[in-house]
Amino acid sequence: MADDENEKLAVLAVNARFYRAFNEGDLIAMERIWAANAPVACLHPGEALLCGRSAVFHRWQEILAYRPGFTLRCDSPTAQLVGTAAIVYCYEGSNEHPAHLAATNVFVREGSDWRMVHHQAGPLADPIPRRRASELN
Amino acid sequence: MADDENEKLAVLAVNARFYRAFNEGDLIAMERIWAANAPVACLHPGEALLCGRSAVFHRWQEILAYRPGFTLRCDSPTAQLVGTAAIVYCYEGSNEHPAHLAATNVFVREGSDWRMVHHQAGPLADPIPRRRASELN
């Protein structure tokens, strides 16, 4: 159980690095966060499925080249271990605005690291204030 | 590799059962599709995170009690094995309308069965006609 909790903390640390890479427009950091060998995929809000590193990183290159002028917050991240994979559920919000997206981030171990294999974010009908989000989990 | 392909087919079969249970309003079938022991969560379109079997099935009970008068299609399901978990990516559409949702369905093995641990569906900005969806994968 203590091991599981440590694994969850390790996954949450990589999840935090994902949002940091996004906010810093750091494509190299983003590439290191994603799995090198496991199949990867991404569903950005409203967009069609991207499958495979080439498609996923072509899109990240476009997204990260455009510095949006806001910081994307990750509210209330919750990690679950599922088999040898892990999922982080969280809400995403811009600056201090209520979170307007719900996200699923999936990770697997590659060597000693947890690496992302999938990200989906989709809109919340009712944005969730930062404080209320933290009370949900 | 042949084993992996067989596993993917097994996962896709459970994924198909998920949409059948939805369309038939079959809560018992839905409960059998979801993991009994692994932690479960669900992000319905626009809604806040549901964590744990109690919250997930309370909502399924509400959803399945309301027969919506349309059939939810699962277009272009693609299965990937990630560690000992599996993910199915697909599009969802109503009747013959273009798919209006993109979905992530995550599964783990429990005993001899693949069981669902997570479902997220979110809207597509540009709905995808059935034919084009099948060409994407």
Side-chain angles (χ1 to χ4, degrees), chain A residues 12 16 23 52 69 84 88 93-94 105 121 133:
Chain A
L12 289 169
N23 286 319
T84 60
V88 175
S94 303
N105 297 326

Side-chain angles (χ1 to χ4, degrees), chain A:
Chain A
M1 270 311 196
D3 281 353
D4 280 4
E5 292 309 310
N6 285 338
E7 290 293 350
K8 287 182 187 177
L9 290 174
V11 172
L12 289 169
V14 181
N15 190 69
R17 282 172 47 211
F18 169 73
Y19 288 95
R20 195 154 61 237
F22 179 91
N23 286 319
E24 293 177 353
D26 189 339
L27 187 63
I28 291 169
M30 185 62 86
E31 284 186 327
R32 285 183 186 144
I33 286 159
W34 285 75
N37 301 312
V40 299
C42 199
L43 280 164
H44 294 289
E47 297 186 14
L49 179 67
L50 301 171
C51 255
R53 276 185 74 87
S54 173
V56 167
F57 282 101
H58 178 75
R59 188 72 186 104
W60 276 124
Q61 195 167 22
E62 290 176 342
I63 290 170
L64 298 181
Y66 165 73
R67 302 298 296 270
F70 64 82
T71 298
L72 189 65
R73 284 193 336 272
C74 169
D75 286 355
S76 307
T78 303
Q80 298 285 15
L81 304 179
V82 288
T84 60
I87 310 179
V88 175
Y89 308 108
C90 56
Y91 297 112
E92 300 176 352
S94 303
N95 297 336
E96 293 305 312
H97 297 291
H100 63 289
L101 297 167
T104 298
N105 297 326
V106 187
F107 300 84
V108 287
R109 265 209 175 279
E110 287 195 342
S112 58
D113 299 323
W114 285 98
R115 305 282 286 261
M116 186 174 273
V117 290
H118 180 55
H119 166 72
Q120 177 171 7
L124 290 159
D126 298 309
I128 298 176
R130 193 169 190 172
R131 185 159 180 182
R132 224 185 85 216
S134 68
E135 290 165 358
L136 285 172
N137 291 293

Side-chain angles (χ1 to χ4, degrees), chain B residues 113-126:
Chain B
D113 298 323
W114 284 99
R115 304 281 286 259
M116 187 174 273
V117 289
H118 180 55
H119 166 73
Q120 177 172 7
L124 290 160
D126 298 309

